[in-house]
Amino acid sequence: MKSILIREKCKKLRSQIINMIADAQSGHPGGSLSAVEILACLYYYKMNVDPKNPLKEDRDRFVLSKGHAAPTIYAILADMGYFSEGELRNFRQLGSILQGHPDSKKVLGIEAATGSLGQGISIAVGMALGAKLKKNNINVFTLVGDGELQEGQVWEACTAAAHYKLDNLTVIVDNNGLQIDGTNDEVMSLGNIKAKFEAFGFCCLEIEGHNIEQIIYALDKASENKPKCIIAKTIKGKGISFMESQVGWHGKAPTDEERKAALKELGC
């Protein structure tokens, strides 16, 4: 039953992502749409968070390292009641709390300002280590893009995570195979991502990133004395046929006609 409810939520989230970016005529639809099921399972199933008490000490933490996918987390936080859904119409507008990349000083529920790729995972490692030192029983999750793995800082963070045995940390890779300038292989091949994380001391799982049951299974799987990495194979632009697997939709807003076509596909 939980997976059915999450699946329905995903349809609504996708429509809000399309509307936000179309209204602003600015944003990143491709990587926002590829992350929908992952973030939906995190927030609606896994994480201990409470919009009525957003700063409670024992809350789990999530860091959106690929900060350009902000529309996805904004849609979820609005749906959960962290702020009014009407605020989504102000996305990327002057004076709005919903900036193009998330800002923890402006939006309750956002744990860290991100967008400079490679930094979010480092922040998440710091949060997980801090929780260990304070003996706080919380979990920390971070979502990174596969193109983001080309940043050296990512692997420095992974070294620290393994050294400190951060089994309260889960790194999720949105592995959609595309980045702003083309395919990952064209820009800088990543090789065997699973082997890389395992070499850095992580417990790794590979899943289909739009399969809710697989995501839930991976989130629940224990990882004793090791940080965990979930490599989620996804489709950039998932859910909108003319956006799927098209690198051009990395950072392009849909026209009014494209918005209508996308919402029609979603049945919204």
Side-chain angles (χ1 to χ4, degrees):
M1 180 60 71
K2 176 64 74 172
S3 62
I4 294 173
L5 293 174
I6 292 174
R7 199 166 285 112
E8 284 302 308
K9 289 284 190 185
C10 288
K11 183 186 297 185
K12 176 183 178 182
L13 297 174
R14 284 195 163 88
S15 68
Q16 289 176 322
I17 289 167
I18 293 297
N19 279 325
M20 270 187 276
I21 296 173
D23 285 345
Q25 278 300 289
S26 179
H28 299 81
S32 298
L33 293 167
S34 67
V36 168
E37 281 80 9
I38 296 167
L39 294 196
C41 288
L42 272 173
Y43 277 90
Y44 297 123
Y45 169 75
K46 184 64 178 177
M47 289 202 306
N48 171 27
V49 292
D50 182 1
K52 294 180 180 178
N53 187 13
L55 299 178
K56 67 174 186 167
E57 185 65 22
D58 66 343
R59 72 190 184 278
D60 289 336
R61 269 66 164 183
F62 171 71
V63 178
L64 183 64
S65 196
K66 48 172 286 181
H68 55 279
T72 311
I73 193 170
Y74 291 158
I76 290 173
L77 293 179
D79 182 66
M80 294 181 71
Y82 282 86
F83 55 84
S84 167
E85 288 194 4
E87 187 65 37
L88 297 177
R89 293 193 293 269
N90 298 323
F91 172 62
R92 280 185 175 245
Q93 300 305 303
L94 188 64
S96 172
I97 64 171
L98 304 182
Q99 298 188 23
H101 293 75
D103 186 340
S104 55
K105 292 184 177 180
K106 294 183 179 294
V107 184
L108 284 173
I110 297 295
E111 297 290 351
T114 56
S116 183
L117 297 180
Q119 293 186 1
I121 186 173
S122 299
I123 295 168
V125 168
M127 289 178 175
L129 178 57
K132 286 283 189 183
L133 293 173
K134 294 174 70 175
K135 295 182 169 31
N136 285 350
N137 186 27
I138 67 169
N139 292 301
V140 180
F141 303 87
T142 183
L143 182 69
V144 302
D146 47 7
E148 185 176 2
L149 301 182
Q150 295 160 357
E151 294 279 359
Q153 184 174 350
V154 168
W155 303 105
E156 294 178 65
C158 288
T159 301
H163 175 78
Y164 291 109
K165 297 180 172 59
L166 300 181
D167 55 4
N168 59 341
L169 173 70
T170 298
V171 175
I172 307 170
V173 179
D174 185 353
N175 185 201
N176 61 43
L178 300 174
Q179 55 190 110
I180 189 170
D181 291 325
T183 69
N184 296 337
D185 286 340
E186 289 170 337
V187 178
M188 187 181 293
S189 178
L190 297 165
N192 188 326
I193 297 174
K194 182 172 184 286
K196 282 184 170 63
F197 272 95
E198 287 178 338
F200 275 83
F202 277 66
C203 173
C204 291
L205 300 91
E206 292 181 301
I207 64 168
E208 293 296 324
H210 303 298
N211 185 309
I212 290 166
E213 289 77 14
Q214 288 189 27
I215 298 169
I216 287 173
Y217 169 81
L219 290 173
D220 282 345
K221 189 171 178 61
S223 174
E224 294 184 7
N225 296 318
K226 284 186 175 184
K228 181 167 63 178
C229 175
I230 301 171
I231 302 163
K233 184 65 178 175
T234 60
I235 297 171
K236 197 150 188 165
K238 174 67 176 176
I240 312 300
S241 61
F242 58 87
M243 293 185 181
E244 288 188 355
S245 302
Q246 299 297 314
V247 70
W249 285 103
H250 175 86
K252 183 176 74 169
T255 64
D256 284 342
E257 287 303 311
E258 289 166 336
R259 184 215 303 247
K260 290 175 185 175
L263 294 178
K264 184 177 180 180
E265 272 196 56
L266 295 170
C268 299

